[in-house]
Amino acid sequence: MSPEERNERMVAMVKEHLDARADALDDRTAARLRAIRLQAVESAEGKRGWFRFLRWIAVGGLATAAVAVLAVSLWMTGPRRENTVATADDIEIVAAQEQMQFYEDIEFYRWLAAQENGG
């Protein structure tokens, strides 16, 4: 017999025993137990309502903190600016007006060189 089967069998036996004992209770004891259970349920509902409110406050605070951390981290990093002119060679290329036409047509010159080389 597997452990699961033993557990199921034991649960069934305990349930039968408890049901038999509950059926054997006199009316006065059963009425007292119902009253006590009703009182416990009413008491638990009142506590649960307050607990839910406190839990939502905690969840809201955590969400607010997470959004604040995200906003600050995005604000601190900011957009990154790229250096358009990085080296002295780049400055020289941009400054020389006569070389601008060459750099505008560089793709054509590369294609032409590839054609001459048999590519």
Side-chain angles (χ1 to χ4, degrees), residues 1 13 46 50 65 79 93:
M1 184 179 287
M13 288 174 48
W50 180 249
I93 291 170

Side-chain angles (χ1 to χ4, degrees), residues 84-106:
T84 54
V85 180
T87 63
D89 293 334
D90 293 339
I91 294 173
E92 183 180 324
I93 291 170
V94 171
Q97 291 296 327
E98 65 273 356
Q99 293 181 358
M100 288 304 293
Q101 184 64 33
F102 171 76
Y103 287 108
E104 289 175 359
D105 295 333
I106 189 117

